Coordinates of all heavy atoms in Angstrom, one line a residue:
M151 N -25.1 52.9 36.6 CA -25.2 53.2 38.0 C -24.0 52.5 38.8 O -23.9 51.3 38.7 CB -26.6 52.6 38.5 CG -27.7 53.4 38.0 SD -29.3 52.7 38.3 CE -29.5 52.0 36.7
C152 N -23.3 53.4 39.5 CA -22.2 52.8 40.2 C -22.8 52.4 41.6 O -23.6 53.2 42.2 CB -21.2 53.9 40.5 SG -20.1 54.3 39.1
L153 N -22.5 51.2 42.0 CA -23.0 50.8 43.3 C -22.2 51.3 44.5 O -21.0 51.4 44.3 CB -23.1 49.3 43.3 CG -23.7 48.6 42.1 CD1 -23.7 47.1 42.2 CD2 -25.3 49.0 42.1
K154 N -22.8 51.7 45.6 CA -22.0 52.0 46.7 C -21.2 51.0 47.3 O -20.1 51.2 47.7 CB -23.0 52.6 47.8 CG -23.6 53.9 47.6 CD -24.5 54.3 48.7 CE -25.1 55.7 48.3 NZ -26.1 56.1 49.4
E155 N -21.6 49.7 47.1 CA -20.9 48.5 47.5 C -21.0 47.6 46.4 O -22.1 47.3 45.9 CB -21.5 47.9 48.9 CG -21.3 48.7 50.1 CD -21.8 48.0 51.2 OE1 -21.7 46.7 51.3 OE2 -22.4 48.7 52.2
A156 N -19.8 47.1 45.9 CA -19.8 46.2 44.9 C -20.4 44.9 45.2 O -20.4 44.4 46.3 CB -18.3 45.9 44.4
L157 N -21.1 44.3 44.1 CA -21.7 43.0 44.4 C -20.6 41.9 44.4 O -19.7 42.0 43.6 CB -22.7 42.7 43.2 CG -23.9 43.5 42.9 CD1 -24.6 43.2 41.7 CD2 -24.8 43.4 44.1
Q158 N -20.6 41.0 45.4 CA -19.6 40.0 45.5 C -20.1 38.8 44.8 O -21.2 38.2 45.0 CB -19.4 39.6 46.9 CG -19.0 40.8 47.8 CD -17.6 41.4 47.3 OE1 -16.7 40.7 47.1 NE2 -17.6 42.7 47.1
L159 N -19.3 38.4 43.7 CA -19.7 37.3 42.9 C -18.8 36.1 43.1 O -17.8 36.2 43.8 CB -19.5 37.7 41.3 CG -20.4 39.0 41.0 CD1 -19.9 39.4 39.6 CD2 -21.8 38.7 41.1
P160 N -19.3 34.9 42.7 CA -18.4 33.7 42.9 C -17.0 33.9 42.3 O -16.8 34.7 41.6 CB -19.1 32.6 42.1 CG -20.6 33.1 42.0 CD -20.4 34.6 41.9
Y161 N -16.1 33.1 42.8 CA -14.7 33.0 42.4 C -13.9 34.4 42.7 O -13.0 34.7 41.9 CB -14.5 32.6 41.0 CG -15.2 31.2 40.8 CD1 -16.5 31.3 40.1 CD2 -14.7 30.1 41.3 CE1 -17.2 30.0 39.9 CE2 -15.4 28.9 41.1 CZ -16.6 28.8 40.4 OH -17.2 27.6 40.3
G162 N -14.4 35.2 43.6 CA -13.6 36.4 43.9 C -13.9 37.6 43.0 O -13.3 38.6 43.1
F163 N -14.9 37.4 42.0 CA -15.2 38.5 41.1 C -16.2 39.5 41.8 O -16.9 39.2 42.7 CB -15.8 38.0 39.8 CG -14.9 37.2 39.0 CD1 -14.8 35.9 38.9 CD2 -14.0 37.9 38.2 CE1 -13.9 35.1 38.2 CE2 -13.1 37.3 37.4 CZ -13.1 35.8 37.3
T164 N -16.2 40.8 41.3 CA -17.1 41.8 41.8 C -17.7 42.5 40.7 O -17.2 42.5 39.6 CB -16.4 42.8 42.7 OG1 -15.4 43.5 41.9 CG2 -15.7 42.1 44.0
C165 N -18.8 43.2 41.0 CA -19.5 44.0 40.0 C -19.9 45.4 40.8 O -20.6 45.3 41.7 CB -20.8 43.4 39.5 SG -21.7 44.4 38.4
D166 N -19.3 46.5 40.3 CA -19.5 47.7 40.9 C -20.4 48.7 40.0 O -20.6 49.9 40.4 CB -18.3 48.3 41.5 CG -17.3 48.8 40.3 OD1 -17.6 48.5 39.1 OD2 -16.3 49.4 40.6
L167 N -20.7 48.3 38.8 CA -21.5 49.2 37.9 C -22.5 48.4 37.1 O -22.3 47.2 36.7 CB -20.5 49.8 36.8 CG -21.2 50.7 35.9 CD1 -20.8 52.2 36.2 CD2 -20.7 50.4 34.4
L168 N -23.7 49.0 37.0 CA -24.8 48.3 36.3 C -25.1 49.2 35.1 O -25.2 50.4 35.2 CB -26.0 48.0 37.2 CG -25.9 47.2 38.4 CD1 -27.2 47.1 39.1 CD2 -25.5 45.9 37.9
E169 N -25.4 48.6 34.0 CA -25.8 49.3 32.7 C -27.2 48.9 32.4 O -27.5 47.7 32.2 CB -24.8 48.9 31.7 CG -25.2 49.5 30.3 CD -24.3 48.9 29.2 OE1 -23.9 47.7 29.3 OE2 -24.0 49.6 28.2
L170 N -28.2 49.8 32.4 CA -29.4 49.6 32.0 C -29.9 50.3 30.8 O -29.6 51.5 30.6 CB -30.4 50.0 33.2 CG -30.3 49.4 34.6 CD1 -31.1 49.9 35.5 CD2 -30.5 47.8 34.3
M171 N -30.5 49.6 29.9 CA -31.0 50.2 28.6 C -32.2 49.5 28.2 O -32.4 48.3 28.4 CB -29.9 50.1 27.5 CG -29.4 48.7 27.1 SD -28.0 48.6 26.1 CE -28.0 49.9 25.0
P172 N -33.1 50.2 27.5 CA -34.3 49.5 27.0 C -34.0 48.5 25.9 O -33.0 48.6 25.2 CB -35.1 50.7 26.5 CG -34.2 51.8 26.1 CD -33.0 51.6 27.0
P173 N -34.9 47.5 25.7 CA -34.6 46.6 24.7 C -34.8 47.2 23.3 O -35.4 48.2 23.1 CB -35.8 45.5 24.9 CG -36.8 46.2 25.8 CD -36.1 47.3 26.5
K174 N -34.1 46.6 22.3 CA -34.2 47.1 21.0 C -35.6 46.9 20.5 O -36.3 46.0 20.8 CB -33.2 46.3 20.1 CG -31.8 46.4 20.4 CD -30.9 45.5 19.5 CE -29.5 45.7 19.9 NZ -28.6 44.7 19.2
P175 N -36.1 47.9 19.7 CA -37.5 47.8 19.2 C -37.7 46.5 18.3 O -36.8 45.9 17.7 CB -37.5 49.0 18.2 CG -36.5 50.0 18.6 CD -35.4 49.1 19.2
N176 N -38.8 45.9 18.6 CA -39.2 44.6 17.9 C -38.3 43.5 18.2 O -38.2 42.6 17.5 CB -39.2 44.9 16.5 CG -40.1 46.0 16.0 OD1 -41.3 46.1 16.5 ND2 -39.8 46.8 15.1
N177 N -37.7 43.5 19.4 CA -36.9 42.4 19.8 C -37.5 41.8 21.1 O -37.8 42.6 22.0 CB -35.4 42.8 20.2 CG -34.5 42.3 19.2 OD1 -34.7 41.6 18.2 ND2 -33.2 42.6 19.4
Q178 N -37.6 40.6 21.2 CA -38.1 39.9 22.4 C -36.9 39.2 23.2 O -36.3 38.4 22.6 CB -39.2 38.8 22.1 CG -40.4 39.5 21.5 CD -41.2 40.2 22.6 OE1 -41.2 39.9 23.7 NE2 -41.9 41.3 22.2
Y179 N -36.6 39.6 24.3 CA -35.5 39.1 25.1 C -36.1 38.3 26.1 O -37.1 38.6 26.7 CB -34.7 40.2 25.7 CG -33.7 40.9 24.7 CD1 -34.1 42.2 24.2 CD2 -32.6 40.3 24.2 CE1 -33.2 42.9 23.4 CE2 -31.7 40.9 23.3 CZ -32.1 42.2 22.9 OH -31.3 42.9 22.0
P180 N -35.4 37.1 26.5 CA -35.8 36.4 27.7 C -35.5 37.2 28.9 O -34.7 38.1 28.9 CB -35.0 35.1 27.6 CG -33.9 35.3 26.6 CD -34.3 36.5 25.8
T181 N -36.2 36.9 30.0 CA -35.9 37.7 31.3 C -34.4 37.5 31.7 O -33.8 36.5 31.5 CB -36.8 37.1 32.3 OG1 -38.2 37.2 31.8 CG2 -36.7 37.9 33.6
G182 N -34.0 38.5 32.2 CA -32.6 38.5 32.7 C -31.7 39.5 32.0 O -32.1 40.4 31.3
L183 N -30.4 39.3 32.2 CA -29.4 40.2 31.5 C -29.4 40.0 30.0 O -29.6 39.0 29.5 CB -28.0 39.8 32.0 CG -27.7 39.8 33.5 CD1 -26.4 39.2 33.8 CD2 -27.8 41.2 34.0
E184 N -29.2 41.2 29.3 CA -29.0 41.3 27.9 C -27.6 40.7 27.6 O -27.4 40.0 26.7 CB -29.2 42.7 27.3 CG -29.0 42.7 25.9 CD -29.0 44.1 25.4 OE1 -28.1 45.0 25.6 OE2 -30.1 44.4 24.7
H185 N -26.6 41.3 28.4 CA -25.3 40.8 28.2 C -24.5 40.9 29.5 O -24.9 41.6 30.4 CB -24.6 41.6 27.1 CG -24.2 43.0 27.4 ND1 -25.0 44.1 27.2 CD2 -23.1 43.5 28.1 CE1 -24.5 45.2 27.6 NE2 -23.3 44.8 28.0
L186 N -23.3 40.2 29.6 CA -22.4 40.2 30.7 C -21.1 40.8 30.2 O -20.7 40.3 29.1 CB -22.4 38.9 31.3 CG -21.3 38.7 32.4 CD1 -21.6 39.4 33.6 CD2 -20.9 37.2 32.7
G187 N -20.5 41.7 30.9 CA -19.2 42.2 30.3 C -18.1 41.7 31.3 O -18.3 41.7 32.5
V188 N -17.0 41.4 30.6 CA -15.9 40.8 31.4 C -14.6 41.7 31.0 O -14.4 41.8 29.7 CB -15.6 39.3 31.1 CG1 -14.3 38.9 31.8 CG2 -16.8 38.5 31.5
V189 N -13.9 42.3 31.9 CA -12.7 43.1 31.6 C -11.6 42.2 31.6 O -11.2 41.5 32.5 CB -12.6 44.2 32.6 CG1 -11.3 45.0 32.3 CG2 -13.8 45.2 32.7
I190 N -10.9 42.2 30.3 CA -9.7 41.4 30.2 C -8.5 42.3 30.3 O -7.4 41.8 30.5 CB -9.7 40.8 28.7 CG1 -10.9 39.9 28.4 CG2 -8.4 40.0 28.3 CD1 -11.0 38.7 29.3
S191 N -8.6 43.5 30.3 CA -7.4 44.6 30.4 C -6.7 44.6 29.1 O -7.0 44.4 28.0 CB -6.7 44.4 31.7 OG -7.4 44.7 32.8
S192 N -5.3 44.8 29.4 CA -4.4 45.0 28.3 C -4.2 43.7 27.5 O -3.7 43.8 26.3 CB -3.0 45.4 28.8 OG -2.5 44.6 29.7
G193 N -4.6 42.6 28.0 CA -4.6 41.3 27.2 C -5.7 41.0 26.3 O -5.8 40.0 25.7
L194 N -6.5 42.1 26.0 CA -7.7 41.8 25.1 C -7.4 41.3 23.7 O -8.0 40.4 23.3 CB -8.5 43.0 25.1 CG -9.9 42.9 24.3 CD1 -10.8 41.9 24.9 CD2 -10.6 44.2 24.0
E195 N -6.3 41.9 23.1 CA -6.0 41.5 21.7 C -5.5 40.1 21.6 O -5.8 39.4 20.8 CB -5.0 42.5 21.2 CG -5.5 44.0 21.0 CD -6.7 44.1 20.3 OE1 -7.0 43.4 19.2 OE2 -7.7 44.9 20.7

């Protein structure tokens, strides 16, 4: 889901897309995010 307005996060970061998926079968996750993604760009390697 692309957000109409990006979420403003601390330190000048923003989030303009949310990814939602069901939990893996037979997995118990604590409440909250399953993962957080950070874009490193061309410097990933």
Side-chain angles (χ1 to χ4, degrees):
M151 290 168 258
C152 287
L153 303 176
K154 288 183 180 180
E155 292 184 33
L157 298 173
Q158 300 301 310
L159 305 172
Y161 306 104
F163 291 100
T164 60
C165 175
D166 64 354
L167 180 106
L168 299 176
E169 173 188 34
L170 296 176
M171 61 193 322
K174 293 176 184 173
N176 303 318
N177 248 1
Q178 292 293 327
Y179 287 104
T181 301
L183 299 173
E184 178 186 73
H185 71 268
L186 172 71
V188 178
V189 178
I190 304 293
S191 290
S192 61
L194 182 65
E195 298 306 319

